[in-house]
Amino acid sequence: MVQRVSATSIVEAVGDDLRARILAGTLTADVAVTEMEVAGSYDVARPTAKAAIEKLVGEGLLVRSNHKSARVAVLGPDSVRDIYLARAYLESEVLRRLASTGTVPAAAVAANAELAARAGEGDLAMVDPDMRFHTALIDAVGNERTSRMYRSLVSEVRLCMTRVQSLHLLDPELIHGEHQQILDHLAAGRGAEAANVLDAHLATARERLAGALESRVLSTVPEESAAV
């Protein structure tokens, strides 16, 4: 069945739909993402399919070795820790700068309110407002390159967040509460305190997700190998 998409760019439209399928978990690493399959599914030319695939390879959502089809990236514990630490470096400094002027981004307040309102809709419903909360903090500094750097991580960050929520590793009320603490510290000009809450907030998600992935890896290792 041909899937229809609409956007200003066909490459972007196909890439957006593939990304949505990856983040929703309907496109997994078990399935090869070939130019032929993508071209047929979306009724586009092979070069368009190739460009869309390469776009997602560049975002880290797909991986492809030489002369092989692309597949959805499988994040291991080390990758998860690396992604979350990269976030922490950027976001902690941003909070200190926002607090120096008592800036509380309205978009972050709205995103956190939406997160609380959607708490009963299931853990995966938390991903979008959670992501918008953190992105709003970054954008509030008003530095184009900082926002661009953060967005280079966004797809992998969303993949991590989707995994955290799909595994029910964090309570939505806890997420909302820690977000609110960050906002309160910003309003009071307490940059170090805001950064400390953020670091603990991200570290909890990081270690719970990395731990869950490590447990899954160990559970697939035969007893003879595990005992070595």
Side-chain angles (χ1 to χ4, degrees):
M1 180 179 70
V2 173
Q3 302 178 53
R4 299 293 180 182
V5 292
S6 60
T8 55
S9 162
I10 297 177
V11 171
E12 289 181 2
V14 174
D16 288 348
D17 197 66
L18 287 171
R19 185 187 304 105
R21 290 167 60 192
I22 292 169
L23 295 175
T26 57
L27 182 58
T28 68
D30 297 328
V31 179
V33 182
T34 67
E35 294 171 16
M36 182 177 296
E37 186 275 332
V38 171
S41 294
Y42 295 97
D43 193 21
V44 297
R46 287 281 291 272
T48 299
K50 179 179 180 180
I53 290 171
E54 291 300 329
K55 179 178 176 64
L56 296 187
V57 170
E59 293 178 11
L61 289 180
L62 293 177
V63 293
R64 175 162 61 185
S65 56
N66 292 336
H67 310 299
K68 291 189 177 181
S69 299
R71 289 184 182 270
V72 174
V74 178
L75 296 178
D78 290 342
S79 294
V80 167
R81 291 189 173 100
D82 193 55
I83 292 165
Y84 270 92
L85 286 173
R87 288 185 64 186
Y89 298 147
L90 280 174
E91 293 188 46
S92 293
E93 180 59 27
V94 161
L95 292 185
R96 291 184 174 88
R97 292 183 179 274
L98 292 177
S100 69
T101 57
T103 300
V104 181
V109 174
N112 202 37
E114 182 182 339
L115 193 151
R118 300 183 67 177
E121 298 179 21
D123 289 351
L124 288 175
M126 304 297 103
V127 174
D128 280 341
D130 193 353
M131 191 71 248
R132 279 188 276 112
F133 173 84
H134 290 277
T135 303
L137 296 174
I138 295 292
D139 289 344
V141 172
N143 185 283
E144 179 184 346
R145 284 172 175 78
T146 300
S147 292
R148 192 187 308 159
M149 287 169 63
Y150 192 75
R151 278 170 173 73
S152 71
L153 293 169
V154 162
S155 292
E156 290 180 302
V157 168
R158 286 185 65 94
L159 190 57
C160 285
M161 291 169 65
T162 300
R163 291 291 287 156
V164 167
Q165 296 298 357
S166 67
L167 293 171
H168 314 293
L169 299 176
L170 291 177
D171 183 345
E173 291 186 8
L174 175 65
I175 297 172
H176 174 265
E178 291 179 343
H179 284 182
Q180 190 59 53
Q181 289 179 46
I182 291 171
L183 296 174
D184 292 343
H185 285 313
L186 291 181
R190 298 188 293 262
E193 289 85 346
N196 287 339
V197 173
L198 172 77
D199 288 345
H201 176 72
L202 295 180
T204 298
R206 181 188 73 224
E207 292 309 316
R208 289 188 182 181
L209 178 53
L213 294 176
E214 285 171 340
S215 296
R216 290 192 171 201
V217 169
L218 289 174
S219 69
T220 62
V221 176
E223 287 188 21
E224 294 82 356
S225 299
V228 174

